[in-house]
Amino acid sequence: MTLVADRITVYRGDRRVLDDFSLTAEPGSMTAIVGPNGAGKSTLLGVLSGDLAPKHGLVMVGGHDVRDMSPRDAANVRSYLPQQHPSGLEYTVRTVVGFGRYAVGSPDDPVVDEAMERVGVDDLAERRFRDLSGGEQRRVSIARILAQTTPVVLMDEPTDSLDLGHADLVMNAASIDAATGSTVLVTSHDLNIAARHAD
């Protein structure tokens, strides 16, 4: 499913964070948006996901304006990993990953187990999310996004707080989604990670 951002402009207070920005991302591709902290990468993904309204411009997913979609319809076409994630959840890892299936299927779907295995958190399935390290919580959040199985995948700094081995594991999982037809966009400040995995 093609994702198009057309002439996006976003202000944060008086500061123009994005200025007349356009982008087209095609199915079967993994696009990395790179830049230093504070460059506007997270703002861009917030706009692409439909969570943040731009001052000007629009975002189309599969030919539809993302802001006109109901939450359920949006959850069926795009998954979004924000840079920040909740850290105090009382739920088990399996339950948190299962949250990704609520809008698109059953939280008991085998896809949940597959997503946990893809990012190496299957051995943590019965542990409480709140008791995990920051890197483990990040991988669980990524498994939740992968379990959603949407045609468009947006991940903001997915390798943040991960060691090199787990960063490669996560980026390989995203690359596989792209290779099987998804439109994948990731942000990163790590040029090496982007160069190794993105188109």
Side-chain angles (χ1 to χ4, degrees):
M1 188 171 285
T2 302
L3 173 67
V4 176
D6 185 28
R7 304 187 69 178
I8 299 296
T9 299
V10 176
Y11 285 86
R12 294 284 194 178
D14 293 335
R15 187 168 86 88
R16 190 179 305 177
V17 179
L18 298 173
D19 184 15
D20 202 32
F21 180 89
S22 295
L23 166 78
T24 299
E26 299 288 349
S29 67
M30 180 170 170
T31 303
I33 301 163
V34 298
N37 293 333
K41 302 184 302 295
S42 296
T43 298
L44 176 61
L45 253 63
V47 172
L48 295 178
S49 73
D51 285 0
L52 178 64
K55 179 78 171 173
H56 302 290
L58 59 96
V59 174
M60 306 288 283
V61 178
H64 300 282
D65 188 332
V66 70
R67 290 182 296 166
D68 291 340
M69 293 180 183
S70 70
R72 181 173 290 276
D73 288 343
N76 275 279
V77 297
R78 64 96 182 107
S79 51
Y80 172 48
L81 175 77
Q83 192 170 13
Q84 303 297 324
H85 59 268
S87 58
L89 297 177
E90 297 283 343
Y91 302 103
T92 66
V93 165
R94 184 183 304 281
T95 300
V96 171
V97 177
F99 290 161
R101 297 299 299 162
Y102 274 102
V104 297
S106 166
D108 298 322
D109 196 302
V111 170
V112 171
D113 289 326
E114 292 167 17
M116 288 190 296
E117 187 175 345
R118 290 178 68 191
V119 296
V121 295
D122 46 319
D123 60 327
L124 306 175
E126 302 310 318
R127 289 186 55 192
R128 297 284 174 189
F129 183 83
R130 68 171 186 183
D131 296 333
L132 303 179
S133 71
E136 289 170 333
Q137 289 181 353
R138 191 67 173 162
R139 286 187 289 136
V140 170
S141 295
I142 292 165
R144 177 179 51 81
I145 295 305
L146 296 176
Q148 205 170 329
T149 61
T150 55
V152 175
V153 180
L154 307 170
M155 294 196 288
D156 193 3
E157 299 282 359
T159 61
D160 189 37
S161 75
L162 300 185
D163 59 51
L164 187 57
H166 287 123
D168 274 331
L169 183 67
V170 163
M171 294 298 279
N172 281 332
S175 297
I176 289 168
D177 276 7
T180 56
S182 295
T183 304
V184 179
L185 279 88
V186 300
T187 65
S188 181
H189 58 267
D190 187 329
L191 292 173
N192 293 322
I193 285 282
R196 274 201 303 276
H197 297 281
D199 298 308

